[in-house]
Structures are given as structure tokens and as C-alpha cells.
Amino acid sequence: MTFSNDKAIYLQMADRLCDEILSGKYQDDDRIPSVREYAVLLEVNTNTAVKAYDELARANIIYNKRGLGYFVTKGAKKQILKARKKEFMKERLPELFRQMQLLDISIDDIKSAYDATFGVVATSNI
């Protein structure tokens, strides 16, 4: 994994695990890699992985079964989606709108680009 400099590595690791939950790689009550396994996989210090797991446990995304490892909390996907949508709407969307206005990009331009990206066939409203 390539890490960026704008966010702590442990938070980027936590985000990656959340992405994996959102993508369906891990379902409710699935066991996730151990702290050591994840640290080796991402080539980071084990203490950094511990911080990522602690962060996710505090957010009730994962839970620890003593002696068995960490598991995905029931409803974690829904919780992650809710938090990410809120963050997107509050933090990212205003900047996107500002850039659209500066660059004279309309909602129709965005819709056309979205449709082209996701293979949606344009339909007319005739």
C-alpha cells in the first residue's frame, strides 16, 4: 500500500480495512487478519497496525475475541457508509461544488461523465 503524507498511516490503514468491509471482502462477524498479518501485508510497524485496530475497535467497527482475533462488528458496513456519506457531504462536496463553479462545469456535465464512466446508456426525456 502506498501511503500519503496528508493523514497518519494508522488512519489510512483503518480506512483501507473499512474499504474492504464496504467492498464485501469482510462481512459481519468475519475474522479479519491479525494485527501482525496486516502489518506484514502493508509493510508497516506492528505498533502502527495496533493503533489502526484500536481506532476501529473504538469506533465499534471491529471487536476482539480474546485468543481468537478481531472480527467485523454486526452492522459495521452500514455504520461506515453512514459516516463516510456524512464526511463526503460536509467535507468534500463543498470543495467539489466550488471547483465546478470556477471551471463552469454543470450538473449535466457531471451526469454525462458519470454515465460514461459507469456505462449508463443515456436516455432522452422526449
Side-chain angles (χ1 to χ4, degrees):
M1 178 173 176
T2 304
F3 296 102
S4 65
N5 292 327
D6 63 338
K7 195 175 196 180
I9 290 174
Y10 79 96
L11 292 175
Q12 292 177 66
M13 290 177 66
D15 285 346
R16 178 186 165 132
L17 196 50
C18 286
D19 289 347
E20 292 171 343
I21 292 168
L22 288 175
S23 74
K25 183 173 182 177
Y26 302 113
Q27 305 288 326
D28 288 351
D29 294 316
D30 280 355
R31 185 182 177 281
I32 61 173
S34 72
V35 170
R36 285 193 181 108
E37 290 168 340
Y38 215 55
V40 168
L41 176 70
L42 299 182
E43 299 176 350
V44 299
N45 185 295
T46 304
N47 292 332
T48 304
V50 167
K51 286 177 73 172
Y53 278 49
D54 285 347
E55 180 74 18
L56 291 171
R58 273 194 301 277
N60 205 29
I61 301 297
I62 62 174
Y63 64 94
N64 187 11
K65 284 186 181 177
R66 192 175 189 113
L68 297 176
Y70 283 92
F71 295 79
V72 177
T73 301
K74 187 172 183 167
K77 183 175 182 174
K78 186 176 179 180
Q79 183 179 340
I80 295 165
L81 276 172
K82 182 179 177 181
R84 293 249 179 118
K85 284 180 183 180
K86 183 178 178 180
E87 177 198 357
F88 181 83
M89 298 299 279
K90 184 178 178 186
E91 304 294 330
R92 298 178 189 217
L93 202 54
E95 175 59 18
L96 176 66
F97 287 155
R98 188 181 80 77
Q99 289 294 320
M100 287 173 61
Q101 186 176 33
L102 286 172
L103 300 172
D104 193 27
I105 298 172
S106 71
I107 292 292
D108 289 336
D109 295 333
I110 297 295
K111 184 177 179 339
S112 294
Y114 180 91
D115 291 349
T117 300
F118 294 104
V120 177
V121 178
T123 58
S124 64
N125 293 332
I126 302 177

